[in-house]
Amino acid sequence: MKELLLVCAVAVMIVFGYFIMKRLDDFLANNHYLIDEEIAENSLFIAFDNPMILNSLIPLFEKF
């Protein structure tokens, strides 16, 4: 009887894991699609640590 209960518990965990992984795969595929769309916009993102550098480079970027 204990073995049957253990087998049932393991089977339930496997089924639960399968559905969780399926939802995770769908979520990651959707995010991959959204990221591909965002990259397709031909955008340029630049990050600076110091905002003073950004202020001095704005005229250069506007010319570019």
Side-chain angles (χ1 to χ4, degrees):
M1 184 67 180
K2 288 182 182 180
E3 292 84 13
L4 180 62
L5 183 62
L6 182 61
V7 168
C8 289
V10 170
V12 167
M13 293 299 290
I14 290 172
V15 170
F16 179 71
Y18 172 78
F19 286 118
I20 292 294
M21 291 305 292
K22 182 142 179 70
R23 299 255 338 239
L24 180 63
D25 286 342
D26 292 341
F27 174 76
L28 291 176
N30 187 30
N31 279 349
H32 183 69
Y33 174 73
L34 293 175
I35 289 170
D36 285 345
E37 280 184 351
E38 190 171 312
I39 290 173
E41 293 177 1
N42 295 329
S43 299
L44 175 66
F45 298 98
I46 301 174
F48 293 99
D49 289 335
N50 187 349
M52 298 302 288
I53 294 172
L54 180 62
N55 290 337
S56 64
L57 292 175
I58 286 177
L60 177 67
F61 288 136
E62 287 176 350
K63 288 179 184 178
F64 180 68

